[in-house]
Amino acid sequence: MAWQNIDVSDAINGLFDPSLSETPPSIDLVALRQLLQAQANTIVAVGTGGERIQNVDARWQRDTRTLNANFRRLGLQPPFPWGGLWDWYGYYSQNLATYQERRSHVRDLTETALAQLEMAEARGGVHDPAADDDTPTWQNLNGRISGLVEEYSSARDRDGWQDVGRRSREILIDFGKLIADPAIVPEGQEAPKGADAKAWFDLFLARYASGRDKSELRSTMRAVWDLAQKVTHGDIADVDAFAAAQATVMVVRTAQKLQRDAE
């Protein structure tokens, strides 16, 4: 039997891979397509005598966790149903007798996955230019922004889009609490209440984005509060939710940069 020539301990050892406890990294659509192609090529190679499973399975499993996590982040179905290449071996041994059948099956799965990515790209995705920022005082807010990106990626109807608006508004409120610093209150002026995030935001802009040359920046950033409010309660579409989510990320990261540059 074919199984007699297989070192099953390789499959068992894969269960103890230390990388199983690591959070897969987020990657953009270009890198995701490249990873998809690389994983498909490895599957084909293993199924057509080009690679030995024990030589490539550990790497393939790690890359598959990254691939699947990023597909799910976009609200998409992961492309390949096997957690490891031994699972693929078991499948093609029972169902795909020839090399041509195996190549065709993997090609079909890959083409379906590429079509999903094209739809996600056409729909648009929220981009956070500081997703990996680990400044301690911004840590919790960074986590909320990551949740916002995922919320938008999975939203498919008005209820989902309004949830994006609610999350955007909550992030802005949390951001207002984060920047509530008595040092930015002008002398002789009473400090806003702690919960008045918008008032603190206005003081922040007056401190860090003052002057006529920053008037358009101040207006743009203030308008985001109104947009998040509209998306939370209004009769909105996907584009409104996208704008609210992306604008929220823009406001937080721009304010963060203003503060850093000033310091």
Side-chain angles (χ1 to χ4, degrees):
M1 294 179 62
W3 281 100
Q4 293 175 339
N5 298 320
I6 295 174
D7 185 354
V8 181
S9 65
D10 289 300
I12 302 300
N13 288 339
L15 298 176
F16 302 95
D17 186 346
S19 68
L20 288 171
S21 62
E22 300 174 359
T23 300
S26 295
I27 58 179
D28 60 26
L29 285 173
V30 173
L32 191 54
R33 286 190 178 93
Q34 293 172 344
L35 181 58
L36 171 65
Q37 185 64 65
Q39 294 299 88
N41 288 342
T42 300
I43 297 172
V44 170
V46 165
T48 56
E51 291 276 9
R52 290 173 59 84
I53 292 179
Q54 46 266 63
N55 294 339
V56 296
D57 190 38
R59 173 181 54 79
W60 190 88
Q61 288 192 40
R62 286 194 296 271
D63 288 344
T64 293
R65 288 193 288 275
T66 298
L67 187 74
N68 292 351
N70 280 273
F71 265 73
R72 293 189 184 100
R73 177 175 59 83
L74 294 170
L76 306 178
Q77 179 69 30
F80 305 119
W82 311 290
L85 292 174
W86 292 112
D87 297 333
W88 161 234
Y89 173 87
Y91 178 83
Y92 74 67
S93 297
Q94 296 295 321
N95 301 283
L96 306 170
T98 68
Y99 285 0
Q100 182 58 42
E101 288 176 321
R102 297 167 195 175
R103 291 190 186 97
S104 296
H105 185 66
V106 175
R107 183 176 61 249
D108 290 344
L109 293 176
T110 305
E111 288 177 349
T112 298
L114 287 171
Q116 287 192 83
L117 292 178
E118 288 177 4
M119 292 176 60
E121 188 171 36
R123 187 181 73 231
V126 177
H127 171 62
D128 177 8
D132 296 325
D133 185 281
D134 60 355
T135 307
T137 56
W138 294 82
Q139 184 174 358
N140 292 335
L141 199 61
N142 288 337
R144 299 293 299 277
I145 288 176
S146 296
L148 173 64
V149 173
E150 294 178 5
E151 184 84 37
Y152 172 76
S153 297
S154 61
R156 295 292 183 272
D157 52 28
R158 191 172 73 171
D159 288 342
W161 299 327
Q162 287 181 338
D163 286 341
V164 171
R166 278 189 283 273
R167 192 180 288 265
S168 298
R169 187 182 60 181
E170 290 168 359
I171 287 173
L172 292 174
I173 291 172
D174 286 350
F175 168 67
K177 295 175 182 177
L178 182 61
I179 61 175
D181 182 356
I184 66 175
V185 180
E187 186 176 354
Q189 181 176 328
E190 185 177 352
K193 294 182 179 179
D196 193 348
K198 194 170 189 303
W200 281 110
F201 184 61
D202 287 337
L203 290 175
F204 179 91
L205 291 177
R207 170 70 175 270
Y208 293 105
S210 60
R212 293 181 59 184
D213 61 320
K214 295 290 194 300
S215 61
E216 294 83 3
L217 176 60
R218 292 193 300 273
S219 297
T220 298
M221 294 178 72
R222 288 184 179 121
V224 175
W225 292 81
D226 297 329
L227 177 60
Q229 186 73 10
K230 175 191 174 182
V231 174
T232 300
H233 299 292
D235 185 10
I236 49 97
D238 176 52
V239 67
D240 301 294
F242 171 80
Q246 187 67 81
T248 297
V249 175
M250 182 274 293
V251 162
V252 173
R253 297 312 183 194
T254 301
Q256 190 176 20
K257 181 170 176 55
L258 284 169
Q259 188 178 50
R260 285 176 171 172
D261 289 351
E263 295 173 349

